[in-house]
Amino acid sequence: MTSETALSVFVIAGETSGDHLGGALMAALKAKTGGRVAFTGVGGEAMQAEGLEPLFPFSDITVMGADAIIRRLPQLLARIRQTAAAVVAQKPDVLVIIDAPDFTHRVARKVRRQDPSIPIVDYVSPTVWVWRPGRAKAMAAYVDRLMAVLPFEPGVHARLGGPPTTYVGHPVLETLLPELPASDHGVEAEKRPVLLILPGSRSSEISALLPTFGEAVARIAERVEGVRPVLPAVSHLADRIEAEVADWPVKAEVVRGREAKLAAFAEARAALAASGTVTLELAVAGVPMAVAYKLDAVARALRVVNRVFRFVNYTTMVLPNIILEEHAIPDFLEEDVTPEKLADAVVPLLADTPTRRRQIAAFARLDALMRLHDGALPSERAAETVLDMVRTKAG
């Protein structure tokens, strides 16, 4: 890129969450270059809205579940080859791959073998800090810069021999915090506290957790007068959830849409949640929680093997706990996911107790660890990192 030419960026996302990250990154790159940037690659609606010219429909590679991947494997492999060939033919100023390592990293490795001069930036680290740590060193051969969304990841990659890594901030700092309504988290409504119920965003998670969550809510209601269960539901699952909670002994309210979710987060006194990114959203929003998860058959088998060979390195599945390096939030896995244990963990969070205050204090420490100290947004810091990579290669 020169002062007369536009920056050429080839950007690849492999799933919906990556598409949202890519859209925000593209908007920030346009802002920082005065619009002198052209995008090509693979992405969905968010990236296309920012000017992406997609190689093929996003749905060709957004495949969930082992069975679906096996059925569509020939198409997926063909798309990997097509994408890598397009990158090499275009020879962009930079290739940005976003999450979805089963697709994006395969493309990156092919590009590196065919044209080592193209700089490659990876946005979102694989979970090398949980399992398969050897991936970090392997990535160093084909990733020139890694943009991490968790604050401890630069240290992890330095220790494991991974690529140079920059913490650019987690997207919840940009997508959740600015939109949250002002809240005292139900201090005034403590006599009828809102309890968020978040059984996951996948059908399998809901099947595994929602019945137990319902039994836990019944026990909580016996001990906390007036408790109000509220379930923010993903749109395509809302009807199903409404049907399943209809016969709960405590009337539960199912809310739909982003505004309703944000309002529920602002009003909530506590939450009972499945493990996942939502735990980080709750912590950032200041909502104390208890967390549960049940594994699928493959993960359950790996858990048994791990007791012998110890290839998974963390004893908690809750992201805020991992970032804090302390067990601030109670979590329950597999056989420990019982109505009694969940109720015992949630009840102290609904009143002004030392248990509740300890979690809130932990959230303050988490906020200090996660925020970018200069006040930049994650998408802005990511764009700066990409432009720095281009300048470094050009120099």
Side-chain angles (χ1 to χ4, degrees), residues 365-381:
R365 296 193 294 275
L366 182 76
D367 182 76
L369 287 170
M370 291 189 62
R371 281 188 185 272
L372 298 171
H373 298 302
D374 60 0
L377 295 173
S379 61
E380 294 171 339
R381 180 56 51 80

Side-chain angles (χ1 to χ4, degrees), residues 123 146-149 166-170 372 376-379 381-382 385:
Y123 196 175
L146 174 61
M147 301 194 297
V149 299
T166 301
Y167 173 59
V168 298
H170 196 282
L372 298 171
L377 295 173
S379 61
R381 180 56 51 80
T385 304

Side-chain angles (χ1 to χ4, degrees), residues 195 215-229 249-250 343 347 350:
L195 173 62
E215 294 179 42
V217 167
R219 285 164 172 77
I220 292 165
E222 292 172 356
R223 298 163 60 181
V224 180
E225 185 178 356
V227 66
R228 296 167 52 204
V250 182
V347 166
L350 293 168

Side-chain angles (χ1 to χ4, degrees), residues 6 14-15 34 64 92-93 103 186 193 231 255-256 284 299 338 394:
E15 54 192 25
M64 296 292 291
D93 292 307
F103 184 86
L231 292 88
V255 299
R256 309 172 187 231
V284 167
T338 68

Side-chain angles (χ1 to χ4, degrees), residues 36-345:
R36 292 186 305 107
V37 57
F39 300 106
T40 310
V42 180
E45 293 180 1
M47 292 166 62
Q48 291 175 38
E50 294 297 337
L52 178 76
E53 298 178 13
L55 290 180
F56 47 78
F58 197 41
S59 57
D60 283 3
I61 61 170
T62 52
V63 182
M64 296 292 291
D67 290 345
I69 290 173
I70 291 170
R71 285 196 305 271
R72 294 175 58 181
L73 187 59
Q75 181 187 48
L76 290 169
L77 293 175
R79 290 308 195 196
I80 289 169
R81 292 191 296 270
Q82 176 188 358
T83 305
V87 177
V88 172
Q90 181 178 319
K91 200 175 178 65
D93 292 307
V94 62
L95 166 62
V96 180
I97 59 174
I98 306 175
D99 210 357
D102 288 340
F103 184 86
T104 62
H105 285 230
R106 283 177 167 80
V107 173
R109 288 195 293 267
K110 286 181 177 293
V111 170
R112 181 49 47 96
R113 286 195 298 269
Q114 295 173 38
D115 189 343
S117 70
I118 298 173
I120 300 176
V121 177
D122 183 15
Y123 196 175
V124 183
S125 172
T127 54
V128 297
W129 35 272
V130 175
W131 75 303
R132 292 174 57 200
R135 289 178 294 172
K137 189 172 183 179
M139 286 169 58
Y142 60 89
V143 171
D144 298 297
R145 187 77 62 86
L146 174 61
M147 301 194 297
V149 299
L150 298 174
F152 60 83
E153 289 177 323
V156 169
H157 279 275
R159 186 174 71 251
L160 295 175
T165 303
T166 301
Y167 173 59
V168 298
H170 196 282
V172 300
L173 301 175
E174 186 167 357
T175 60
L176 183 76
L177 268 184
E179 298 181 39
L180 273 176
S183 170
D184 60 7
H185 291 297
V187 171
E188 294 300 323
E190 190 174 338
K191 292 182 180 178
R192 196 161 182 261
V194 169
L195 173 62
L196 290 180
I197 306 297
L198 299 154
S201 57
R202 296 177 182 174
S203 181
S204 58
E205 292 175 317
I206 292 167
S207 297
L209 290 175
L210 191 56
T212 307
F213 281 10
E215 294 179 42
V217 167
R219 285 164 172 77
I220 292 165
E222 292 172 356
R223 298 163 60 181
V224 180
E225 185 178 356
V227 66
R228 296 167 52 204
V230 176
L231 292 88
V234 180
S235 57
H236 68 282
L237 294 169
D239 288 343
R240 173 192 168 179
I241 290 174
E242 278 191 339
E244 293 194 20
V245 305
D247 60 353
W248 280 13
V250 182
K251 181 174 173 56
E253 180 184 358
V254 178
V255 299
R256 309 172 187 231
R258 183 164 179 80
E259 285 189 16
K261 173 185 171 178
L262 292 171
F265 270 53
E267 191 180 2
R269 187 71 176 161
L272 177 56
S275 176
T277 303
V278 73
T279 63
L280 200 55
E281 291 181 336
L282 290 166
V284 167
V287 182
M289 74 197 89
V291 178
Y293 204 73
K294 288 191 176 181
L295 305 172
D296 59 26
V298 173
R300 199 174 296 117
L302 289 173
R303 184 184 181 217
V304 173
V305 175
N306 187 61
R307 290 170 180 164
V308 179
F309 295 103
R310 197 62 185 174
F311 54 84
V312 174
N313 302 315
Y314 276 80
T315 58
T316 178
M317 60 202 163
V318 180
L319 272 175
N321 285 348
I322 295 171
I323 296 169
L324 288 164
E325 297 185 327
E326 63 178 272
H327 210 92
I329 298 165
D331 56 348
F332 302 89
L333 178 65
E334 284 295 288
E335 63 275 3
D336 287 328
V337 181
T338 68
E340 296 79 12
K341 289 184 177 181
L342 296 179
D344 286 345

